[in-house]
Amino acid sequence: MTLARKATLIIEGQEPVEFPIFTPVHGNDCIDIRKLGGKTGLFTYDLGFMSTASCSSKITFIDGDKGELLYRGYPIEQLAEQCEFLDVAYLLKHGELPDTEQKNAFVNIVKTHTMINEQMVHFYQGFRRDAPPMAVMIGVVGALSAFYHEAEDFSDETHRNISFNRIVAKLPTIVAMAYKYSIGEPFMYPRNDLSYTANFMHMMFGTPCERYEPNPVLVHALDTIFTLHADHEQNASASTVRLAGSSRANPYACISAAIGCLWGPAHGGANEACLKMLEEIGDVSRVPEYIKRAKDKNDPFRLVGFGHRVYKNFDPRARLMQKICADVLQELGLEDDRLFKLARELERIALEDDYFISRKLYPNVDFYSGIVQKALGIPVSMFTCIFALARTVGWMVQWEEMIMDPDLKIGRPRQLYIGVPRRDVPQIVAC
Ligand code: CMC
């Protein structure tokens, strides 16, 4: 980060004020307005953080115009093709890809921490069977802070590493247990002879009655899906982690808050909403009707899986997801899948339509992810949990970067108050 220029702010009736401009490694220059309030008595108003960098970060970079996503400088396409999810998790955490020795040690530590405290089973039993699995996850992940609080000196790197390794190891178990509970099947204990992702599939789809044999093509597909979702810089849920963590809250509680944020249909809940939308459209012949609705200002309907705050060109994850989708459907002999064909047609028509072209609305990662997950046998209600499983890596890394920032301040935005002006309580109202 360099300081090359200055910005001068001219406010009517006041002396001009100068602010430094930071030039980052990649991306837009940023005016440092931290002293604006003190110098001018004014605040900035930026609903939805449209023009605000909320922090400095070394983890992930997105160039929305180019459609580029980098984890620690590496393009997502190369990582998706050449690395496993645990390599990517190590990279995000430590800044570099692991060598063989580092990878073996990391894989070993993750594999040997996959079980959760047996008492946590009682938490699941307290939920109704029809509880949304995301609601269960918010509860169970938050409850980790009640079970694992012996390593809470976060100025100590060892403690931070313990929290990271623990949550990365346990999330697949927690997600799979949420699923098994919802369908009334016994929880499956983890198997250390399997890879991270194969073990997750075993815990999801295996039963005690027979040995589960994961299909390597499907394992590879799901592992790549995890990689694509591992981090995405300062989105709503990562910002939630940072805001919650800025009070020095326990990281598991912060992750639980992020899961809550991810759940919404404008964020991680979009993959579920997208599949429901495709089911509702049902047939290629009805695509024009839905495109018309998406364009109608008086209709709240939006084409789910389209548009992104940052990507104003193709979401690179969507391209990779489309390829994974085709591979999985081919492996399963489902090349003629009705929803896949419908999605391709919807994409084709939308990308030729002036409404979508002029607003730079392209398919995002969630457009194809629901179809792949459905083909993998994952029920719709679990889609966002899969996203949360993978994104936990990014959340933990964002949390650690924030907590170690020497300039850390508790997040405390100001507001533009537009309520009733100061007034006195009338005498007749008895309190
Ligand atoms: N269908 C129809 N119109 C849309 C859509 C859409 N999916 N997305 C945006 N627009 C229109 C919107 O109506 C507005 O039009 P106008 O300028 O005429 O008022 C314009 O495009 C800009 O939209 P915006 O809501 O101001 O854009 P945003 O950056 O605030 O919202 C978004 C981004 C992702 C919330 C939005 O595109 C959306 O709701 N998409 C559908 C939900 C979705 O797929 N979400 C997953 C996001 S990717 C996964 C993740 O990161 O969590």
Side-chain angles (χ1 to χ4, degrees):
M1 186 161 76
T2 54
L3 249 178
R5 295 188 289 157
K6 281 183 183 160
T8 306
L9 179 65
I10 301 171
I11 305 165
E12 234 179 83
Q14 295 190 17
E15 287 296 309
V17 207
E18 286 192 337
F19 296 97
I21 299 182
F22 293 130
T23 299
V25 174
H26 289 309
N28 298 30
D29 284 3
C30 293
I31 306 173
D32 177 3
I33 48 119
R34 281 175 292 179
K35 298 208 168 115
L36 177 74
K39 283 184 175 176
T40 67
L42 268 67
F43 296 140
T44 54
Y45 176 62
D46 188 17
L47 204 60
F49 299 107
M50 299 295 287
S51 305
T52 295
S54 60
C55 61
S56 58
S57 181
K58 296 179 178 170
I59 305 167
T60 295
F61 175 72
I62 301 170
D63 186 326
D65 293 325
K66 276 200 220 157
E68 183 176 69
L69 169 62
L70 311 176
Y71 291 165
R72 300 283 188 186
Y74 293 117
I76 190 69
E77 293 82 357
Q78 293 177 21
L79 292 169
E81 204 167 293
Q82 298 173 41
C83 300
E84 291 177 0
F85 175 63
L86 284 188
D87 298 314
V88 171
Y90 186 98
L91 167 72
L92 286 165
K93 168 82 170 81
H94 299 284
E96 297 297 337
L97 284 164
D99 60 25
T100 310
E101 202 180 312
Q102 289 163 330
K103 175 157 180 186
N104 289 342
F106 181 55
V107 169
N108 188 49
I109 203 149
V110 168
K111 274 192 179 175
T112 49
H113 287 83
T114 45
M115 283 198 298
I116 58 170
N117 188 302
E118 193 67 14
Q119 252 179 284
M120 293 193 80
V121 169
H122 300 301
F123 280 115
Y124 287 89
Q125 287 161 352
F127 286 105
R128 286 170 53 130
R129 295 266 177 202
D130 64 356
M134 281 294 277
V136 175
M137 277 187 67
I138 291 169
V140 177
V141 172
L144 287 175
S145 53
F147 279 84
Y148 303 103
H149 49 80
E150 80 292 358
E152 282 200 320
D153 174 7
F154 299 122
S155 60
D156 182 337
E157 190 183 1
T158 313
H159 286 204
R160 297 196 303 274
N161 290 347
I162 288 173
S163 299
F164 178 82
N165 296 337
R166 184 177 268 155
I167 199 157
V168 171
K170 295 188 190 319
L171 245 288
T173 315
I174 290 172
V175 172
M177 285 172 77
Y179 174 52
K180 287 297 194 189
Y181 185 75
S182 73
I183 56 170
E185 284 189 4
F187 297 139
M188 294 298 289
Y189 285 99
R191 266 175 58 191
N192 289 1
D193 61 316
L194 296 174
S195 72
Y196 185 80
T197 304
N199 172 53
F200 173 62
M201 292 175 81
H202 144 77
M203 292 189 291
M204 285 283 289
F205 306 125
T207 67
C209 313
E210 58 190 68
R211 195 173 169 82
Y212 178 76
E213 293 302 342
N215 173 329
V217 176
L218 305 187
V219 171
H220 175 68
L222 188 56
D223 196 77
T224 313
I225 292 173
F226 289 164
T227 292
L228 299 186
H229 286 88
D231 194 48
H232 213 225
E233 54 118 300
Q234 308 314 318
N235 53 75
S237 55
S239 300
T240 301
V241 169
R242 283 184 178 258
L243 194 57
S246 73
S247 72
R248 278 70 165 176
N250 178 294
Y252 306 123
C254 300
I255 300 300
S256 174
I259 296 172
C261 177
L262 185 77
W263 196 359
H267 194 1
N271 51 17
E272 181 175 338
C274 182
L275 199 83
K276 284 183 179 155
M277 177 190 75
L278 291 172
E279 295 277 16
E280 189 186 311
I281 297 175
D283 189 79
V284 173
S285 63
R286 297 186 66 202
V287 168
E289 178 195 330
Y290 279 82
I291 298 262
K292 194 171 164 217
R293 282 189 61 194
K295 289 159 47 174
D296 183 353
K297 285 272 159 256
N298 300 316
D299 189 330
F301 174 76
R302 281 192 166 193
L303 217 49
V304 188
F306 266 74
H308 199 274
R309 170 64 60 78
V310 183
Y311 293 117
K312 298 304 170 195
N313 197 321
F314 229 84
D315 177 342
R317 303 168 302 169
R319 283 217 172 94
L320 294 160
M321 195 62 89
Q322 192 193 72
K323 159 100 179 52
I324 297 169
C325 193
D327 291 349
V328 165
L329 295 178
Q330 189 186 20
E331 173 66 17
L332 296 172
L334 299 170
E335 293 95 331
D336 289 329
D337 181 77
R338 183 178 57 89
L339 292 185
F340 185 56
K341 283 191 162 168
L342 181 59
R344 294 297 299 263
E345 186 60 5
L346 185 61
E347 178 185 341
R348 190 188 65 76
I349 295 175
L351 292 181
E352 285 173 0
D353 191 296
D354 194 49
Y355 174 92
F356 292 89
I357 296 170
S358 62
R359 288 170 181 75
K360 301 186 175 176
L361 299 171
Y362 295 91
N364 59 48
V365 68
D366 289 318
F367 192 61
Y368 286 102
S369 88
I371 301 174
V372 192
Q373 292 194 50
K374 184 168 173 267
L376 289 173
I378 298 165
V380 176
S381 61
M382 292 300 296
F383 288 179
T384 318
C385 299
I386 304 288
F387 191 158
L389 187 170
R391 184 57 61 82
T392 293
V393 167
W395 288 331
M396 284 301 285
V397 177
Q398 298 280 349
W399 168 81
E400 182 174 14
E401 185 178 67
M402 185 251 341
I403 210 82
M404 293 314 293
D405 186 340
D407 290 337
L408 171 63
K409 286 197 181 304
I410 186 167
R412 182 35 172 113
R414 305 306 293 262
Q415 64 171 7
L416 184 66
Y417 178 70
I418 53 168
V420 179
R422 188 197 183 281
R423 55 181 167 168
D424 295 320
V425 177
Q427 288 300 327
I428 44 168
V429 179
C431 292

